[in-house]
Amino acid sequence: MTILNIGINEKTKKKLKDIVKVSEYKTVSELVRSTINAALKIEETQRAASQEIEIPEWIPEGKYIAFVKGSIAAVGDSIAEVSREAAAKFPNESCIIRRQGKKIQLREYVFSAFSELKCWQYSMVEDRRFPLIVVRIGPKNNLQTIRALPDSAASMSILKKEYFEQFKLPVLRTEKVFSAGGIVELEVVETHLRINELTLKSEFLVGEIPDELPFDLLIGRNILDKLDLYLLGKKNVVCIKDP
């Protein structure tokens, strides 16, 4: 193991010792190692090799293509379909989505335990970037891999309606929800969610998430409050760390 000598002033040293006293770290050295590892993980994710995307001529006009690390991961009829398939095949990678022929026109939308950091590059649909993470959701014996968008403005998480129907989830109750379009009444269900090594049972609102968007779940504060979320906009990197 290589030993690094890092010079820090007394004020910084005191701050590090104070953090150790109120955290899970046993020593200052452990805290520094963890911080360095987290910074390296973010930099590695940001610098992941990016290649020019070229759509092969054999793909039919109007089809959507999801690329992972420059290679085709899925071909389908909607953004949601290819994003879901790419997530199932490559859960630890972000994806870039293009359409053969006419450029994708995206609608605007408004919705009111790993021991180490896990990071993804932002996923892309044409020139739009989304800070998506990969999760597994459903009954404990039938978890499915999907992409999810963290939404700190939402007090509850929203599950795409087709999964409510697919999993045959019982409705617990209905809730009145404030949205950009006014007050709407949505059904509430309960199911399992797995984010990295963190598995929990949580309530979800059932809502319409258009197929033009590359995610099937909005993760609201009822789940975000149980983990650490890092959005590094300039680096186009999203990271999570469970308690």
Side-chain angles (χ1 to χ4, degrees):
M1 181 176 67
T2 303
I3 298 176
L4 297 177
N5 290 319
I6 303 174
I8 55 175
N9 58 41
E10 289 300 319
K11 186 177 180 180
T12 302
K13 188 183 297 184
K14 183 179 183 304
K15 286 182 180 179
L16 291 172
K17 288 180 178 179
D18 290 341
I19 291 173
V20 169
K21 289 177 183 177
V22 297
S23 69
E24 74 273 18
Y25 301 106
K26 296 178 181 178
T27 64
V28 170
S29 294
E30 185 181 347
L31 168 60
V32 172
R33 282 197 300 271
S34 177
T35 304
I36 291 174
N37 286 337
L40 287 174
K41 175 64 71 175
I42 292 168
E43 291 299 325
E44 287 171 1
T45 304
Q46 180 194 10
R47 296 182 183 184
S50 59
Q51 302 175 12
E52 280 295 320
I53 299 299
E54 292 187 11
I55 302 176
E57 294 182 359
W58 57 263
I59 293 178
E61 182 82 10
K63 288 287 186 179
Y64 295 86
I65 311 100
F67 295 88
V68 174
K69 289 189 171 180
S71 299
I72 295 175
V75 177
D77 295 317
S78 72
I79 294 172
E81 179 187 350
V82 296
S83 177
R84 190 180 308 134
E85 187 176 337
K89 293 178 179 176
F90 303 98
N92 295 321
E93 304 292 344
S94 61
C95 71
I96 296 174
I97 298 174
R98 297 281 190 267
R99 182 167 65 182
Q100 181 72 292
K102 185 179 178 181
K103 189 175 179 180
I104 301 170
Q105 296 296 318
L106 288 174
R107 70 177 69 179
E108 297 298 327
Y109 63 94
V110 179
F111 298 96
S112 182
F114 249 11
S115 60
E116 61 183 50
L117 210 60
K118 173 62 184 172
C119 299
W120 293 267
Q121 288 181 308
Y122 283 17
S123 292
M124 291 182 63
V125 180
E126 296 296 359
D127 298 324
R128 291 277 297 276
R129 298 177 185 272
F130 297 83
L132 304 183
I133 63 176
V134 177
V135 303
R136 303 192 72 200
I137 194 167
K140 242 182 178 179
N141 61 348
N142 187 27
L143 293 174
Q144 294 203 15
T145 303
I146 62 174
R147 294 191 192 276
L149 177 71
D151 184 0
S152 62
S155 57
M156 282 192 68
S157 302
I158 301 177
L159 176 64
K160 194 169 185 174
K161 189 174 182 179
E162 72 177 69
Y163 289 96
F164 158 68
E165 297 167 345
Q166 178 181 335
F167 296 142
K168 296 181 172 59
L169 300 172
V171 176
L172 302 180
R173 63 183 185 280
T174 60
E175 289 279 357
K176 289 185 177 179
V177 178
F178 292 90
S179 71
I183 299 176
V184 295
E185 194 162 326
L186 299 178
E187 295 170 323
V188 179
V189 298
E190 185 179 59
T191 193
H192 291 86
L193 180 72
R194 186 176 179 85
I195 304 177
N196 290 339
E197 299 302 321
L198 175 67
T199 302
L200 50 87
K201 195 173 185 180
S202 184
E203 292 186 347
F204 299 85
L205 297 168
V206 177
E208 299 286 350
I209 298 178
D211 282 347
E212 292 95 329
L213 296 173
F215 52 87
D216 298 315
L217 173 69
L218 280 167
I219 301 180
R221 294 195 307 276
N222 64 320
I223 293 174
L224 291 178
D225 289 347
K226 295 179 173 64
L227 48 86
D228 291 329
L229 173 73
Y230 305 85
L231 289 173
L232 298 105
K234 289 182 180 180
K235 297 179 181 294
N236 291 315
V237 172
V238 55
C239 304
I240 56 174
K241 181 179 179 182
D242 69 31

